Amino acid sequence: MRALLLSMALLLTAALFPAHAQAALPGLTEGVQYRAIDGGQPYQALPPGMVEVAEVFAYTCPHCAHFAPTLDAWAKQLPPHAKLVLVPGVFGRDDDWARAFFAAQASKSLAVLHPRLFAAIHETGELPRNADRAQITAFAGKIPGVNAASFKAAMQNDAALLPKLKYAYEFSARSQVEGTPSLIVAGRYLILGNSYENLLANARAVVNALAPKKTAPAKAAAKPAAPRS
């Protein structure tokens, strides 16, 4: 099956990995809420102080399809210092489903097409899991709100897409992703959990632990004493 196992299975193997003292988070326990990623880096460059929550997903993964609406609602409640970033799983040098994600981004139709691709595979049966590039392109072109010509051109733009596919693949590899959906916070913490709710609760706990430190307000300088007469 092209879709990887659900990342909650990582909880069962977390005990096999040593602790990473340098990545320890106050109030949290490695192997329970997260697993530290040696040498991990975020998927995107964000402004200083911002924390990335990257979801590695696959359109063909039924768990990802079920998780998507919950994740979307959760992301809207994130604090100002955190941002959700979607990363398609790449299962081969030229994965057509991952290509469709990046083509949707490039044609400014991701918000419309992202949920429709999940539904087409897992609800309506309009697309098979092994759909090829032509089938995906034909389906997308019929969706209201999608510029069919722009999407088709983006799907065929190897010069733009192949580097993105390679970069997404490398991110998943260095983040030690073993299943979808997977959440990686700040590129350094692979989130663990035994349910969707637990996964999101642990992700939020890590996000909170990485919140920018608040600086204490400077004390006002003492006023000089008035001269005595």
Side-chain angles (χ1 to χ4, degrees), residues 17-213:
F17 296 88
H20 301 255
Q22 72 275 17
L25 296 172
L28 303 178
T29 304
E30 182 172 3
V32 177
Q33 290 96 357
Y34 68 92
R35 173 153 56 93
I37 302 168
D38 287 332
Q41 295 291 329
Y43 180 70
Q44 289 185 350
L46 296 178
M50 287 291 293
V51 174
E52 174 189 86
V53 181
E55 185 212 16
V56 178
F57 75 95
Y59 283 120
T60 55
C61 167
H63 302 298
C64 299
H66 297 153
F67 187 47
T70 302
L71 178 65
D72 184 58
W74 177 84
K76 293 175 182 177
Q77 303 300 318
L78 282 170
H81 73 275
K83 177 184 178 181
L84 175 67
V85 174
L86 301 180
V87 184
V90 179
F91 306 97
R93 176 179 176 273
D94 193 6
D95 186 288
D96 285 336
W97 290 112
R99 179 181 280 259
F101 173 85
F102 290 121
Q105 273 190 333
S107 60
K108 304 187 186 312
S109 58
L110 185 62
V112 173
L113 197 53
H114 186 65
R116 290 299 300 269
L117 288 176
F118 276 131
I121 300 168
H122 303 286
E123 296 177 23
T124 66
E126 294 170 272
L127 285 172
R129 294 190 184 187
N130 64 346
D132 60 25
R133 193 180 311 176
Q135 289 173 300
I136 298 170
T137 301
F139 171 80
K142 299 175 183 177
I143 303 301
V146 175
N147 184 317
S150 180
F151 180 83
K152 182 177 180 179
M155 280 287 278
Q156 297 173 342
N157 189 347
D158 286 349
L161 289 183
L162 291 179
K164 293 181 180 180
L165 293 169
K166 181 175 181 289
Y167 188 73
Y169 174 84
E170 292 173 345
F171 173 77
S172 294
R174 72 170 179 260
S175 300
Q176 304 167 13
V177 169
E178 299 178 14
T180 56
S182 282
L183 298 179
I184 300 97
V185 177
R188 305 194 307 275
Y189 305 96
L190 181 63
I191 304 304
L192 305 176
N194 55 14
S195 68
Y196 297 141
E197 293 74 16
N198 188 224
L199 197 66
L200 291 175
N202 289 342
R204 181 59 184 266
V206 172
V207 165
N208 290 345
L210 296 174
K213 300 294 186 293

